[in-house]
Amino acid sequence: MRINIYYGGRGLIEDSTIYVLNKLTEVLEELRVEVTRYNLYEDLKGINMLPNTLKEADGVILATTVEWFGIGGLMQQFLDACWLYGDKEKIQKLSMLPIAISTTYGERDAIFTLTKLWELLGGVPCEGICAYVENHVEFETDPEYAFLIEKKAEMIYRQVSHRLKNFPTSAHIVNQTMLKGNSMELTPQESEQLSIYVSDDTYVKKQKEDIQELAQLFKGMLGDEENPETDTEEEFIRDLKEHFKGQAGVFATYHFNFADEDKNLFIKVSGNKIECYYDEKGEVDVFVKMSKDIMLDIIEGKMTLQKAFMSGEVTAKGDFETLRNFDTLFKF
């Protein structure tokens, strides 16, 4: 028989969870059980691969120390990995003894969380060890506490060796129906390989780079037409030309300075003709200073140039009659 222990604390000397695990290990080994402990804090990058170690186990002990709130990030990460990459068929056959030792409030909540998560994974939880420890020396030297721990070790031994069943719970129904469609449909071999890839920083970094490269490629192919907030310079010009309503005898020049990007857009209107281009400063009838977001709002028809000027979001100098004519020349 083999029982795996997964310890989610920080490995501190005064952590009474370690004392409990040592006592459990001592009793189980006397019963000729092979006990393997995995300290999650020792290999942070390898946590996603640990669900593979469940394959050879007959039982599981999940132990966490509540120092502030909840079961802790390491244990949560391990259980997340079990959900994503673990062999669900194997987990359904595993009994689990939860342990939560608290130095603050919340040990019962932690036990409840471990039990609930293991049930959602399909496993069989046992009645665990739940304790608040104010003085670790007093706790670890109390013979009555040691006796209780020994009884829990014997209980998990009987549970695993005789493959005792628990009464059915609604968590298993939720696992089979509501949550089943949310997990990745992978074979155990594919899950194991995926967990190896996820734990490989070099592989993950390369995948992120490839995704960014593909995103840039498709962004260029689509021209970013679906996202007006990423309009390029040419698209500003295209929108202005598409919405231009020329008038005979009207001549005007505009200089738009986008302060947030330090770019200068020039517009020259000659009757029914229009010219738009990005350039350095030049002589114009109206100089307008604004942010790129304001120009986007104007092009999308959310406001007019005159309204933006009156609200103070735009500053301008020059011929204010020409400034007012902008909303007549461009119908957005």
Side-chain angles (χ1 to χ4, degrees), residues 110-126:
I111 280 286
F112 174 74
T113 300
L114 290 174
T115 301
K116 179 172 65 175
L117 293 179
W118 195 253
E119 285 182 335
L120 290 175
L121 286 169
V124 182
C126 306

Side-chain angles (χ1 to χ4, degrees), residues 239-254 256 267-276 285-286 298 304-305 319 321-332:
D239 289 329
L240 288 166
K241 289 182 177 180
E242 288 179 354
H243 295 85
F244 173 62
K245 306 295 181 183
Q247 298 179 17
V250 175
F251 301 90
T253 53
Y254 299 89
F256 289 90
I267 302 174
K268 182 178 181 180
V269 176
S270 301
N272 293 319
K273 296 181 179 180
I274 180 176
E275 295 180 47
C276 300
D285 297 324
V286 180
I298 293 173
T304 63
L305 179 61
D319 189 337
E321 181 65 28
T322 303
L323 178 67
R324 286 192 293 271
N325 286 341
F326 181 88
D327 294 324
T328 302
L329 296 170
F330 299 92
K331 296 293 186 180
F332 296 106

Side-chain angles (χ1 to χ4, degrees), residues 274-330:
I274 180 176
E275 295 180 47
C276 300
Y277 53 90
Y278 285 87
D279 203 345
E280 299 299 326
K281 294 181 180 180
E283 294 296 327
V284 293
D285 297 324
V286 180
F287 173 82
V288 182
K289 190 171 184 178
M290 63 169 66
S291 68
K292 184 179 178 180
D293 289 339
I294 297 300
M295 176 59 87
L296 286 171
D297 288 342
I298 293 173
I299 288 176
E300 292 174 359
K302 296 179 180 179
M303 70 167 63
T304 63
L305 179 61
Q306 182 66 17
K307 183 178 179 180
F309 174 71
M310 296 299 293
S311 66
E313 295 179 279
V314 167
T315 59
K317 60 182 179 179
D319 189 337
F320 287 96
E321 181 65 28
T322 303
L323 178 67
R324 286 192 293 271
N325 286 341
F326 181 88
D327 294 324
T328 302
L329 296 170
F330 299 92

Side-chain angles (χ1 to χ4, degrees), residues 88-251:
K88 302 298 193 305
E89 293 183 3
K90 175 62 179 178
I91 294 176
Q92 289 175 5
K93 302 175 183 178
L94 294 178
S95 296
M96 185 275 294
L97 175 69
I99 299 173
I101 305 299
S102 171
T103 59
T104 181
Y105 175 80
E107 68 279 0
R108 294 188 180 277
D109 291 338
I111 280 286
F112 174 74
T113 300
L114 290 174
T115 301
K116 179 172 65 175
L117 293 179
W118 195 253
E119 285 182 335
L120 290 175
L121 286 169
V124 182
C126 306
E127 184 179 349
I129 299 175
C130 176
Y132 166 73
V133 178
E134 184 176 5
N135 186 314
H136 73 95
V137 176
E138 293 180 0
F139 178 81
E140 295 170 17
T141 55
D142 191 314
E144 293 185 1
Y145 294 148
F147 176 77
L148 292 174
I149 296 171
E150 291 173 2
K151 289 301 179 182
K152 289 295 182 181
E154 294 171 1
M155 182 200 69
I156 185 66
Y157 173 78
R158 288 194 298 270
Q159 178 88 15
V160 173
S161 62
H162 298 294
R163 298 190 180 279
L164 300 177
K165 289 186 177 181
N166 284 357
F167 288 109
T169 67
S170 59
H172 292 109
I173 303 301
V174 173
N175 177 282
Q176 295 171 10
T177 56
M178 296 178 64
L179 297 180
K180 186 176 180 180
N182 293 333
S183 61
M184 294 183 289
E185 296 295 334
L186 300 174
T187 65
Q189 293 77 13
E190 290 172 334
S191 296
E192 180 177 355
Q193 191 64 43
L194 182 57
S195 67
I196 294 174
Y197 286 148
V198 170
S199 300
D200 186 342
D201 287 345
T202 303
Y203 175 82
V204 173
K205 182 179 180 181
K206 182 65 169 60
Q207 290 297 300
K208 290 181 178 179
E209 291 174 352
D210 290 344
I211 291 172
Q212 290 178 351
E213 184 176 343
L214 286 171
Q216 291 297 325
L217 174 63
F218 285 110
K219 180 179 176 181
M221 292 172 62
L222 296 173
D224 247 356
E225 294 178 358
E226 297 181 357
N227 188 357
E229 293 184 359
T230 59
D231 281 348
T232 62
E233 297 175 358
E234 292 301 322
E235 287 174 323
F236 266 126
I237 293 174
R238 183 185 61 199
D239 289 329
L240 288 166
K241 289 182 177 180
E242 288 179 354
H243 295 85
F244 173 62
K245 306 295 181 183
Q247 298 179 17
V250 175
F251 301 90

